[in-house]
């Protein structure tokens, strides 16, 4: 079964750090672009960032709201994606989803994880 | 950034009704548009990609149309399981952006 499972969410103080994990199964994540998307409580969806592997090198792009604070990485041996979040702010409180990007569908997100909740609060 | 504006923000309808949701982009995005359905406490689910292509496994009562800046999602005959929030998303240029969502409620 093709699926994504996120983990690592929790409660963290403003200024703190947290690393989220996204484990892929049923497919090789490094063969795909992968996105992180977040959703603040009661709000809509916000794209956070993307990683893509080209010629054995991962490249990343980020939303302006997290650039310089968040870092996406991957571990091919574990078929897993990570989101390292530093200098967290209260406005980063959200459910974080990882999602698979399918290039041939004009970059639609066809597989989503169940999400992991991050709460930034003192 | 490209702004995506959905209308209406919420709509009430009955089982069997035909419903149309509109999504407008602040600049042309060709057909780089997807529609997602989200139920409370669940992850979004892809319904339509490339503006009008039905994702595998999605019922044929869902359809999408449009190109450029104006797009629509139509549900031809509402079923009880269709009451949810719907989002459009453009992927024509970075950063990908979502509409604010349309909540479809039971009348």
């Amino acid at each position: 079964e093709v699926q994504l499972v996120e983990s690592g969410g929790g409660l963290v103080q403003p200024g703190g750090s947290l690393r989220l994990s996204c484990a892929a199964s049923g497919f090789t994540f490094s063969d795909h672009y992968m996105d992180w998307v977040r959703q603040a409580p009661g709000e809509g969806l916000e794209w956070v960032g993307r990683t893509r592997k080209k010629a054995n090198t991962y490249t990343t792009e980020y939303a302006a709201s997290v650039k310089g604070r968040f870092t996406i990485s991957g571990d091919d041996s574990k078929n897993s994606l990570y989101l390292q979040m530093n200098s967290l702010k209260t406005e980063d409180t959200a459910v974080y989803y990882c999602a698979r990007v399918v290039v041939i569908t004009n970059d639609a997100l066809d597989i989503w994880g169940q999400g992991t909740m991050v709460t930034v609060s003192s | 950034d490209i702004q995506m504006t959905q209308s209406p923000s919420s709509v009430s309808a009955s089982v069997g009704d035909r419903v149309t949701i509109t999504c407008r982009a602040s600049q042309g995005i060709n057909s780089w548009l997807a529609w997602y359905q989200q139920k409370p406490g669940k992850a979004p689910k892809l319904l339509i990609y490339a503006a009008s292509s039905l994702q595998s496994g999605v019922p044929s009562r869902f359809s999408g149309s449009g190109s450029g800046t104006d797009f629509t999602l139509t549900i031809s005959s509402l079923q009880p399981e269709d009451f949810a929030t719907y989002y459009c998303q453009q992927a024509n240029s970075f950063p990908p952006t979502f509409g604010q969502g349309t909540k479809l409620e039971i009348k």
Side-chain angles (χ1 to χ4, degrees), chain A residues 35 37 39 43-47 50 52 61-64 97 103-110 112-115, chain B residues 31-34 36 38 41-46 48-51 55 87 89 91 94-100:
Chain A
D35 278 5
V37 175
Q39 186 170 36
E43 301 295 324
L45 301 167
E46 179 188 15
W47 179 81
R50 176 171 295 179
R52 41 191 162 188
E61 302 201 45
Y62 300 96
Y97 298 100
V103 173
I104 62 170
T105 66
N106 287 11
D107 284 7
L109 308 180
D110 73 329
W112 295 65
Q114 85 287 356
Chain B
S31 61
W32 288 71
L33 185 103
Y36 301 89
Q38 187 180 33
K42 301 294 186 181
K45 173 187 174 183
L46 176 64
I48 301 286
Y49 63 89
Q55 172 69 354
Y87 294 92
Q89 183 212 11
F94 270 81
T97 45
F98 292 88
Q100 81 278 14

Side-chain angles (χ1 to χ4, degrees), chain B:
Chain B
D1 297 2
I2 296 176
Q3 291 193 2
M4 306 299 293
T5 304
Q6 290 181 230
S7 61
S9 295
S10 64
V11 58
S12 296
S14 301
V15 172
D17 284 354
R18 179 184 180 92
V19 171
T20 296
I21 299 169
T22 296
C23 179
R24 174 165 288 177
S26 60
Q27 62 190 75
I29 58 170
N30 297 301
S31 61
W32 288 71
L33 185 103
W35 289 97
Y36 301 89
Q37 176 194 66
Q38 187 180 33
K39 296 182 179 179
K42 301 294 186 181
K45 173 187 174 183
L46 176 64
L47 300 175
I48 301 286
Y49 63 89
S52 60
S53 297
L54 191 67
Q55 172 69 354
S56 176
V58 174
S60 59
R61 63 181 179 272
F62 291 91
S63 64
S65 65
S67 182
T69 60
D70 294 315
F71 302 86
T72 60
L73 172 71
T74 299
I75 310 171
S76 60
S77 179
L78 276 172
Q79 298 301 300
E81 61 268 28
D82 300 337
F83 292 94
T85 300
Y86 293 83
Y87 294 92
C88 61
Q89 183 212 11
Q90 69 82 20
N92 184 71
S93 62
F94 270 81
T97 45
F98 292 88
Q100 81 278 14
T102 295
K103 187 173 184 179
L104 177 52
E105 298 176 301
I106 301 174
K107 183 182 285 184

Side-chain angles (χ1 to χ4, degrees), chain A residues 9-11 19-20 37 40-41 47 51 57 63 71 82 92 108 112 117:
Chain A
L11 174 64
R19 188 176 88 150
L20 306 183
V37 175
W47 179 81
T51 187
T57 299
T71 302
Y82 305 99
D92 295 319
W112 295 65
M117 182 71 203

